[in-house]
Amino acid sequence: MSSLRILFLGDVVGAPGLRAVKRRLPGLVSRLGVDLVIANGENAAGGLGITPSQVRDLHRWGVHVVTTGNHVWAKRELRRALGDLPRLLRPANHPDGAPGKGWCRLEVGGTPVAVVNLCGRVFMNPLDCPFRTADHILAGLDPPPPVVVVDFHAEATSEKRALGWHLDGRVSAVLGTHTHVTTADAQILPGGTGYVTDVGMTGVDASVIGMPTDRALARFLTGVPSGFGVADGDARISAALVEVDRETGRCVDIRIVHDGPGRGVSPPGRVL
């Protein structure tokens, strides 16, 4: 069996997250034998949005596809540049007329791959249905690539799990982003789809989901908004390592990788 190894980086948060990608990603790719790198970059610009230059930096440091989420429109300069950044994705379930695109196709070592970006609706901005949007995209892939990876940027665990089951057997992996906390449920669903509710974040772990602890505590203790900001310090990469059969597109292994403070690799994901 010939397999494709995909490394999917959880939300890159601010300058520390970007530094972690620059410093740690090349060694991680080499050690793990990675063929394709995808990263959610929607928190790269000070925790809110991403700029065109940051997208290009991520590409230069080894990220092939950059996905986003509900903060994709935070930087005006990105809206104007979306058409010039073919491997930057915004959620595909935005209504017709939104700039940019929600999925892309590429070839990795001779294997066709599609990457799809979707955003949830529960406790999030009202967008088109991510379930039916995924169905529409998959139906329109002609010819259908054997490998399809979905970044589902969503708040509710139930919505993420539901999409995983909805797409089981039709995509190679459904990988959750947005909540910045790695979940302990990496698994292979019965139809062969790799799944994890949230990959976590690429940022400073000694923080509150990337925010300085003092600011976060002030918000909770007083109820007074104090601005978010980005915690400074040594950041780690949190990622999902997904191994996929190049011919069938079925996931054969999925595990969580932390590189940086608290470095380690989880056991293989359980098979349901």
Side-chain angles (χ1 to χ4, degrees):
M1 178 191 69
S2 175
S3 62
L4 181 76
R5 304 198 96 190
I6 302 164
L7 189 68
F8 183 97
L9 276 59
D11 304 45
V12 178
V13 182
L18 290 167
R19 287 196 301 268
V21 175
K22 182 179 181 179
R23 296 172 182 174
R24 302 183 189 280
L25 182 60
L28 199 55
V29 167
S30 177
R31 287 200 308 274
L32 299 177
V34 171
D35 303 296
L36 171 65
V37 180
I38 306 166
N40 186 292
E42 77 140 20
N43 298 123
L48 197 67
I50 187 169
T51 68
S53 64
Q54 289 168 338
V55 174
R56 295 186 182 100
D57 283 342
L58 288 170
H59 287 325
R60 191 168 69 251
W61 299 333
V63 176
H64 299 98
V65 180
V66 179
T67 57
T68 58
N70 58 306
H71 295 314
V72 63
W73 312 118
K75 303 302 177 187
R76 289 185 179 181
E77 61 266 39
L78 187 74
R79 303 179 197 180
R80 298 190 294 268
L82 273 169
D84 300 323
L85 299 166
R87 291 189 181 175
L88 171 70
L89 304 181
R90 49 88 173 152
N93 53 320
H94 273 283
D96 291 344
K101 61 182 182 179
W103 67 276
C104 69
R105 185 193 293 261
L106 64 159
E107 193 167 288
V108 182
T111 300
V113 178
V115 181
V116 180
N117 195 178
L118 296 167
C119 202
R121 297 193 294 181
V122 179
F123 309 125
M124 302 280 279
N125 296 330
L127 297 176
D128 292 343
C129 176
F131 294 79
R132 298 190 185 280
T133 298
D135 291 342
H136 178 74
I137 291 171
L138 293 176
L141 292 175
D142 185 22
V147 178
V148 180
V149 179
V150 177
D151 173 357
F152 191 30
H153 196 80
E155 182 79 28
T157 298
S158 57
E159 190 179 20
K160 291 179 177 179
R161 298 237 3 131
L163 187 74
W165 285 102
H166 182 66
L167 297 180
D168 183 30
R170 296 193 286 156
V171 302
S172 304
V174 175
L175 307 171
T177 58
H178 179 63
T179 62
H180 293 201
V181 177
T182 308
T183 54
D185 61 344
Q187 60 199 254
I188 301 174
L189 299 175
T193 294
Y195 173 85
V196 63
T197 296
D198 204 284
V199 176
M201 70 174 179
T202 296
V204 177
D205 196 43
S207 69
V208 177
I209 62 171
M211 187 191 312
T213 55
D214 57 344
R215 291 196 186 185
L217 287 171
R219 291 172 67 92
F220 283 112
L221 289 169
T222 67
V224 178
S226 57
F228 289 101
V230 174
D232 197 15
D234 191 13
R236 75 176 183 182
I237 289 176
S238 292
L241 179 64
V242 185
E243 190 168 352
V244 176
D245 185 297
R246 288 179 180 265
E247 294 183 1
T248 67
R250 292 176 65 94
C251 178
V252 297
D253 189 28
I254 179 170
R255 53 186 79 195
I256 294 297
V257 175
H258 294 307
D259 192 75
R263 173 179 167 181
V265 179
S266 76
R270 68 185 187 275
V271 180
L272 298 187

